[in-house]
Every structure is written in structure tokens, then in C-alpha cells.
Amino acid sequence: MKLLLTGITGYVGKRILPLLVENGHDVYCCVRNLERVEEKWQHHPQVKLIEIDFLKTDSHQRFPPDIEIAYYLIHSMASNDGDFEDMELQAAANFRKLLTQTNVRQVIYLGGISNDKYLSKHLRSRLNVEKELSKGDYRLTTLNAGIIIGSGSASFEIIRDIVEKLPVMITPRWVLTKSHPIGIRDVLKFLIGVMDNQACFNKSFDIGGKDILTYKDMLLQYAEIRQLKRKVFALPIMTPRLSSYWLFFITSTSYKLAINLVNSLKVEVIARENSLPKLLNIEPLSYKEAVEAAFKRIRQNQVYSSWKDALSSSEFDTDYSDQIDVPEYGCYRNKQVVSFQKPIEEVTKVIWSIGGQNGWYYGTWLWRIRGYLDKLSGGIGLRRGRTSPTEIMNGDALDFWRVLLADGDKKRLLLYAEMKLPGEAWLEFKVVEKPEQNSLIQTATFRPKGVWGRFYWGLSWPFHLFIFRGMARNIIKKAGN
């Protein structure tokens, strides 16, 4: 069939696309920026890309008329641009209007379980989006999930952060809230299983795994799988604000996302029983099985997607495409040029592996201190790491940087700083091939904002002097080792 898929750079969208293609479907993929799409999809015969921002659609934009099934997988909980509830509702309304000119017969929406009397803004927004999508002239199928467990998922990475770092966990009382976790594998099975299934038309289903657990249970079962001895003590005195700070400093989440997560974690998210698993012949995984499956992927370096790679999960509130061209005027620079005779492919490989567990090749302890300072000032710190230890693509999160451009052919990597700064910063790596001698050109660019920006550069200049010089030299040294 001919399908329309949104959210293809998000956690679920990245994972379902290869499955849809493998099943023989032709897929129209909606994306805000075409440069963020993996190269393998840009010229794939079964994939066609549509560049579109559902918050900025106009009368000139069109969907292909022959679409049969559409997936709506757009979420923007951590956005900086105003109220995410209004944004999500507007995006859904524009999506629905664009579908009126197509032959679509079914829309499949992944929402959130909302059975509790009290709903957080996050869950209320998911419910409002479902109501908006239901106004269309097509059959709507809604799958409502709780927290999703899989390598790279927000829930899994937060649990991982907490348990791996803290032998004794003094936690907010929301750890006693019951939840219904589901493995990402099961989410994908349900999403594909309901496609063009008439028994699922105009219906809403809650989907969950085998187990209903408290968050404390999940922390302790994770520790058991990892063979870690852990103790969890819940304190009733933690306010929502203190809980948000606790989650923010312990895990890799941003503060804005932590606030919304805490408000949702206080709500019981338990799936109502329904006939869908039997109808689709799906036996959901238990929580432990989902965690073990996630670690299998991690050990094999097969983490296909991460919640941290979605732009809405960061503090990135500037137009992504505006940062590709590094400014030349009114900026401070630190430029390092190192000549080398080693194979260019080896040097490029080292550059493409920078950050995360591999570190920044020089003064790692100083980078960590900068990450802690960023976290203390409300930034994202270094804890996001990277999705893959060796592969990198446009739009990926890379510690407190965002990958603007990873061009393997031109051997150019361009990063944009998402740390808290009195200005804007870029870090660029270029490998230049010449007949006489090859060179690595590494350029740090800072565009200050006001007097504080200039003061910041002057204060950090001595550190930049030897950090960036050492980093460039060590990249060459590590190549081929």
C-alpha cells in the first residue's frame, strides 16, 4: 500500500520505517528538515520525502492524493516555542486538513493512556490530539501507550541513568505510582497490526506489556537484571519542583522535559483490558524481557533511534537550518590546522566517533566540569552522549552539541552548541585532501551576545587554547590505532 508516515526522525518513527519498507509498502515520509533523514532513505525506491512543518502549513502544501493509510507519530512535549498543548493541537489540525485532499481511509495515531481522573498536561494534550484527529473523513485507530521500554527510549534511559549511578536512591514519592510499561517491539507490532484492519476502524485501544508495576518496581527489577544491589527510599516531602530538579540532575533529561515528566509520573497509567492482543495474536513482553531486549541491542551497537535525537527534546530553540552556515563576522575563533600522512578514512573515522563514551580526546575532565556547570545553570550537560558509538547523522544529539551536518563525502562535521551560553557556538571539523599533504582543519566559532558574551570568551580563552589544540592533535594520533 501507499502510506504516509510522520515523525520519521523521532524515536518510534525511525524504527517503524524500515519495517514498513520491508513489508513492501511505498512510504511518503514527512520531515521538517530533509537533511536530518538518513542517507539510505534519501534515494530509496520505496521512500519519498516530503519537507513540511505542520505548525507552518499553508494553502500551497499538498499531500499525494493516492495515500491509503497515514501514521501520526508527532509529539512535542519539551518544545521551547510556547505551550506544547497548543502546538500539538495546531499540528494535528493542519495534518487533518491536508488529508482531506487524499484518498486516505485510515489514520493510526499513537497517543498516551489517559484513564485516570487527573491528567497531566502531557496526557491531556495526547487526548486532545486524538479528538482533533477524529474529526476527519477517515477511520481513526488510536493506540494509547504508557512508558515505552527500548534502547534509546526516554523511559528506559532515565531508569538506566538512575539505577546505574545511585546505589541508594532517595526518590520522590511518585516512584510508588503504578504504571503499565510496554516494550518498543510490541508497540511496533501493534502499530503495524492495526493497519487496514477493519476490526480496528474508529476504535481506541490501550496497549501495555505483561506487568503492572510501580516505578520503584521497575528500578529494582532493572537493578536485578544488571546484577546491581540497589535500595530505594521514597520521600513524601518532595514537591513537584524539587522532583523536577532531582530528575534533571540525576538523568540526561532537560529541565523542561523533567517538569512535564514529573507531572505525568504522578498519574497512574494502566491500560484497560481489550481484545486487541488476541485479535492481532500478540503476546506482549514482560518488563524484564523488554529491558533484556534493550540491552541486547546496546551490546550489539544496534540502537536505531533515541529520544534525545528529536529536536524537541533539547533546548534548541533556533531554526535548525539557519545554523548550517557558520557566520564570519562579529565572531571569535580558535582554528587548529594539523597536517598528517595517515589514511584519510582513519582520521575521518576518529572524528565521526567523537563524544559520548569515546570522550573529546583531550582534557576530558575539563569537558565534564563544563557539563556539570551547564547542568547547574539549567542546561543539558554532557549526559545525553550519542546514539551510536561509531555512526553519526544530521540532527543527532552529541553530548551538549547538536549535529548540524555530517557529510561523509566532503568529510565535514559541523556541531552547534546547545549548552547554556551568552551567545552561539559552532565546532567544525574538515579533512582536506591535497597532493602534497592532507590536513585536519578544526574551527571553534563563538558569536557573543552582548558584553557578557565577550567576557565569557575572554575568560575561557586560556582553556580553549590548549584544549582545542590538544584535541586536534590527538585526533590524528588516534587514527589507525
Side-chain angles (χ1 to χ4, degrees):
M1 291 184 290
K2 293 189 176 179
L3 313 178
L4 182 75
L5 178 63
T6 62
I8 68 161
T9 59
Y11 180 70
V12 178
K14 264 188 180 180
R15 300 207 173 202
I16 198 171
L17 176 55
L19 299 179
L20 297 175
V21 169
E22 186 180 316
N23 289 343
H25 302 294
D26 293 323
V27 188
Y28 293 96
C29 296
C30 298
V31 63
R32 278 188 292 173
N33 191 299
L34 293 176
E35 292 181 344
R36 293 197 62 213
V37 180
E38 291 178 85
E39 189 175 346
K40 66 181 178 181
W41 301 124
Q42 293 185 8
H43 305 289
H44 196 286
Q46 291 172 244
V47 175
K48 293 179 175 60
L49 302 176
I50 302 172
E51 190 169 32
I52 184 170
D53 184 341
F54 288 107
L55 292 175
K56 301 176 183 178
T57 56
D58 55 43
S59 58
H60 300 292
Q61 289 178 304
R62 295 283 189 276
F63 281 155
D66 53 352
I67 293 167
E68 299 170 77
I69 310 290
Y71 282 93
Y72 192 76
L73 305 176
I74 296 175
H75 296 151
S76 55
M77 187 168 69
S79 173
N80 276 333
D81 300 322
D83 190 336
F84 74 84
E85 287 186 277
D86 293 336
M87 293 174 65
E88 289 199 329
L89 198 59
Q90 182 63 49
N94 288 336
F95 174 80
R96 176 180 56 79
K97 291 172 185 175
L98 286 169
L99 284 177
T100 59
Q101 303 167 36
T102 72
N103 299 321
V104 67
R105 59 177 175 269
Q106 182 191 22
V107 170
I108 300 168
Y109 169 57
L110 180 62
I113 295 174
S114 51
N115 299 326
D116 202 298
K117 291 182 180 179
Y118 165 80
L119 294 179
S120 65
K121 288 178 66 175
H122 161 52
L123 293 174
R124 185 171 65 239
S125 179
R126 298 289 186 268
L127 186 59
N128 289 336
V129 168
E130 180 183 355
K131 292 177 181 177
E132 178 62 38
L133 293 175
S134 68
K135 298 176 184 177
D137 187 22
Y138 46 71
R139 284 81 171 178
L140 177 67
T141 301
T142 301
L143 299 178
N144 295 314
I147 68 170
I148 297 175
I149 303 298
S151 55
S153 77
S155 305
F156 174 79
E157 295 298 337
I158 287 171
I159 291 169
R160 185 182 179 189
D161 272 349
I162 294 171
V163 179
E164 299 279 356
K165 293 171 184 173
L166 301 177
V168 178
M169 293 168 259
I170 309 298
T171 67
R173 61 183 174 186
W174 49 252
V175 296
L176 303 178
T177 304
K178 290 182 179 179
S179 186
H180 205 159
I182 182 170
I184 181 61
R185 295 185 182 189
D186 291 328
V187 173
L188 297 173
K189 287 179 182 178
F190 281 117
L191 284 169
I192 291 174
V194 299
M195 183 172 55
D196 209 29
N197 190 323
Q198 294 188 18
C200 302
F201 286 177
N202 293 323
K203 291 184 180 178
S204 178
F205 302 95
D206 292 348
I207 55 175
K210 275 185 181 177
D211 305 318
I212 296 174
L213 304 167
T214 65
Y215 293 104
K216 180 179 178 179
D217 293 332
M218 284 187 267
L219 293 171
L220 292 176
Q221 287 191 24
Y222 176 98
E224 184 182 336
I225 291 169
R226 297 286 287 152
Q227 298 181 342
L228 298 170
K229 292 184 178 180
R230 294 294 185 259
K231 298 289 184 182
V232 180
F233 299 98
L235 290 183
I237 59 174
M238 278 200 181
T239 64
R241 182 172 293 274
L242 285 175
S243 293
S244 300
Y245 281 126
W246 181 86
L247 200 62
F248 169 63
F249 280 110
I250 295 300
T251 73
S252 57
T253 183
S254 68
Y255 182 64
K256 288 179 181 286
L257 184 56
I259 293 173
N260 289 315
L261 284 172
V262 165
N263 289 331
S264 294
L265 292 170
K266 296 184 294 183
V267 181
E268 281 201 351
V269 180
I270 301 174
R272 287 177 178 157
E273 287 190 21
N274 56 68
S275 60
L276 190 61
K278 186 176 180 180
L279 177 66
L280 302 181
N281 195 27
I282 295 173
E283 182 68 29
L285 299 174
S286 68
Y287 171 73
K288 282 188 175 181
E289 288 170 336
V291 171
E292 286 167 348
F295 267 102
K296 184 178 180 181
R297 290 290 186 192
I298 292 168
R299 284 192 294 268
Q300 296 173 348
N301 290 328
Q302 293 181 335
V303 181
Y304 297 135
S305 62
S306 171
W307 69 277
K308 291 172 273 194
D309 291 337
L311 291 181
S312 61
S313 73
S314 72
E315 300 296 325
F316 192 76
D317 57 3
T318 312
D319 189 349
Y320 174 82
S321 59
D322 287 348
Q323 309 302 327
I324 293 292
D325 296 319
V326 180
E328 297 181 11
Y329 303 104
C331 298
Y332 296 112
R333 280 181 187 79
N334 182 298
K335 187 174 182 179
Q336 304 291 330
V337 181
V338 183
S339 299
F340 64 90
Q341 309 220 338
K342 293 183 176 182
I344 282 182
E345 293 73 19
E346 294 296 331
V347 174
T348 306
K349 183 179 178 181
V350 174
I351 294 171
W352 253 240
S353 301
I354 200 166
Q357 294 296 323
N358 298 322
W360 290 82
Y361 302 143
Y362 188 86
T364 299
W365 63 277
L366 288 171
W367 286 95
R368 287 175 180 165
I369 289 173
R370 182 64 182 87
Y372 290 134
L373 292 175
D374 189 57
K375 202 79 170 174
L376 286 170
S377 63
I380 52 182
L382 278 176
R383 292 179 182 154
R384 291 189 308 185
R386 51 182 294 157
T387 303
S388 166
T390 55
E391 296 180 3
I392 197 168
M393 63 171 289
N394 299 345
D396 279 0
L398 183 57
D399 290 333
F400 44 42
W401 301 88
R402 179 69 59 177
V403 180
L404 292 183
L405 184 68
D407 191 330
D409 294 331
K410 294 182 179 178
K411 297 174 178 58
R412 181 190 179 205
L413 178 64
L414 178 61
L415 310 177
Y416 181 81
E418 293 188 316
M419 64 193 85
K420 291 288 185 179
L421 287 171
E424 296 173 290
W426 294 259
L427 182 59
E428 183 176 22
F429 302 89
K430 283 183 182 178
V431 178
V432 179
E433 187 175 7
K434 294 182 179 180
E436 60 276 10
Q437 199 168 35
N438 301 321
S439 299
L440 164 65
I441 302 175
Q442 174 191 287
T443 309
T445 303
F446 180 69
R447 180 162 61 186
K449 185 178 181 181
V451 175
W452 284 112
R454 290 165 173 79
F455 178 74
Y456 169 83
W457 180 263
L459 191 66
S460 57
W461 178 81
F463 299 99
H464 290 166
L465 192 63
F466 65 86
I467 287 175
F468 288 129
R469 181 187 299 165
M471 184 166 65
R473 290 176 177 176
N474 281 350
I475 286 173
I476 303 303
K477 287 181 182 178
K478 286 180 177 291
N481 292 341

